[in-house]
Amino acid sequence: KLSGQYVARVIVNRFWQQVFGRGIVATSDNFGVAGAAPSHPELLDWLTSEFLRGGWRAKPIIKQMVMSQAYRQAAVLTPEMETAETTDPENALLWRMNLRRLDSEYVRDAILASSGKLDRSLFGEFIPVDVRPDGMVVIKKAGLPTPTYQWRRSIYVLARRNYHLTMLRIFDQPIVARNCTQREPSAVVTQALTLLHDDFVLEQAAFFAERLAAHKTTTEQIAAAYRIALGRLPTDEETRWCAELLQRQAERFRTDEKTAEQLALAQLCKVLFNTNEFLYVR
């Protein structure tokens, strides 16, 4: 029974780490003497007891975490927080939310959700990958059960030791050959280049633009793009910037056989995929 309580503490700490970016015990792979001390030991004890009382069910305890006041704080610093930042620069006391970048799988899924192409079907076979001569690892489209199978959630993408989907590897998907108790997100140039030039991103930006084409006016299209991709409406200044971008891009594509407005709208969608607000949880 005691060993079960220890296991429950480790599980609850992993849940907290996934939700808040850092566990109550920072060394989630080491609860021993050599590991870090819990920042909130009473909270860890209480969450563990709730987890056990709930029959080891994950969803109720995670729901309690995400509905807490600590989780619903913003990650953006304000002038009023200067004292707190000086006193607790690592935010161990949770006076604000930790800034968290989306994990690699979430980035791909968020792009698919924005374009409207995300296949939410559950279970079934994995999504096969194909290694191209240039070293890129992409989704293998031939022989799939359904046309939308290639757009299933990233958890179903085949992960081999040396052949990770390039889109996921660029955004720090862990190597499956060794244990990974906590992901270490990076911010490198290749990530921005991928979101600007990758075939998958360009394809989904075009689908996103088709989704927005249902709105008649430019202002409505911009508002819908922000609401879908960023979960909010644009400010007046952002609307003006986007309108100027659409106008410039439409003039650029005037000679294209496709409609210039549609291609310009795809460029706006690609820009939104590249924003920090799209990639980071605030």
Side-chain angles (χ1 to χ4, degrees):
K1 184 177 180 180
L2 187 59
S3 61
Q5 293 176 358
Y6 291 149
V7 173
R9 285 168 60 86
V10 173
I11 294 175
V12 167
N13 191 66
R14 291 291 181 92
F15 291 158
W16 187 274
Q17 175 180 283
Q18 185 66 25
V19 170
F20 286 87
R22 182 177 61 219
I24 297 175
V25 176
T27 53
S28 57
D29 59 338
N30 188 352
F31 269 60
V33 177
S39 58
H40 300 76
E42 294 85 359
L43 175 60
L44 181 59
D45 291 342
W46 181 80
L47 288 172
T48 302
S49 64
E50 289 293 300
F51 183 52
L52 293 172
R53 188 178 298 112
W56 296 69
R57 295 173 60 216
K59 287 184 178 180
I61 197 68
I62 293 175
K63 181 179 179 180
Q64 283 189 313
M65 293 178 184
V66 299
M67 293 186 68
S68 66
Q69 184 176 352
Y71 178 82
R72 288 181 288 173
Q73 295 181 110
V76 180
L77 292 173
T78 62
E80 294 78 12
M81 296 178 177
E82 291 182 359
T83 302
E85 187 178 14
T86 303
T87 305
D88 180 25
E90 295 185 356
N91 191 31
L93 300 178
L94 299 175
W95 49 271
R96 64 173 174 84
M97 189 58 176
N98 294 312
L99 184 65
R100 295 158 296 146
R101 202 204 66 199
L102 296 178
D103 289 339
S104 56
E105 295 87 352
Y106 297 165
V107 173
R108 178 178 176 272
D109 290 357
I111 292 174
L112 287 169
S114 298
S115 70
K117 295 297 182 179
L118 180 63
D119 184 344
R120 301 176 184 270
S121 59
L122 302 176
F123 313 115
E125 294 292 326
F126 58 80
I127 308 172
V129 297
D130 190 22
V131 183
R132 299 194 320 202
D134 61 0
M136 293 282 289
V137 181
V138 297
I139 298 295
K140 187 176 182 179
K141 300 180 180 181
L144 295 178
T146 64
T148 62
Y149 209 83
Q150 59 181 308
W151 299 321
R152 299 185 72 200
R153 291 180 299 165
S154 302
I155 192 174
Y156 294 107
V157 176
L158 176 65
R160 298 174 59 187
R161 184 174 60 182
N162 296 323
Y163 300 104
H164 285 245
L165 187 69
T166 299
M167 178 70 188
L168 302 182
R169 177 175 53 81
I170 290 295
F171 285 94
D172 311 304
Q173 185 184 43
I175 299 174
V176 297
R178 59 176 181 264
N179 188 32
C180 177
T181 58
Q182 185 170 9
R183 298 194 183 194
E184 297 295 338
S186 64
V188 294
V189 175
T190 50
Q191 294 170 355
L193 292 174
T194 297
L195 292 176
L196 286 171
H197 304 293
D198 185 77
D199 291 340
F200 167 77
V201 177
L202 298 179
E203 174 191 55
Q204 297 306 314
F207 288 139
F208 193 3
E210 293 176 3
R211 184 180 182 185
L212 298 175
H215 300 273
K216 296 181 179 180
T217 68
T218 299
T219 302
E220 290 177 349
Q221 291 173 345
I222 295 171
Y226 268 75
R227 178 175 52 80
I228 293 171
L230 306 182
R232 65 173 178 85
L233 293 175
T235 64
D236 293 340
E237 189 174 22
E238 288 171 335
T239 300
R240 179 175 57 81
W241 289 342
C242 293
E244 293 175 355
L245 172 65
L246 290 174
Q247 183 179 2
R248 291 197 306 269
Q249 293 298 316
E251 293 174 357
R252 173 189 173 194
F253 291 118
R254 287 297 177 195
T255 58
D256 196 280
E257 58 183 8
K258 297 181 180 180
T259 60
E261 289 75 14
Q262 191 72 11
L263 292 171
L265 200 54
Q267 293 296 311
L268 173 60
C269 296
K270 186 174 66 171
V271 168
L272 292 178
F273 289 157
N274 277 270
T275 59
N276 283 341
E277 195 170 348
F278 184 81
L279 293 174
Y280 286 83
V281 181
R282 294 172 179 265

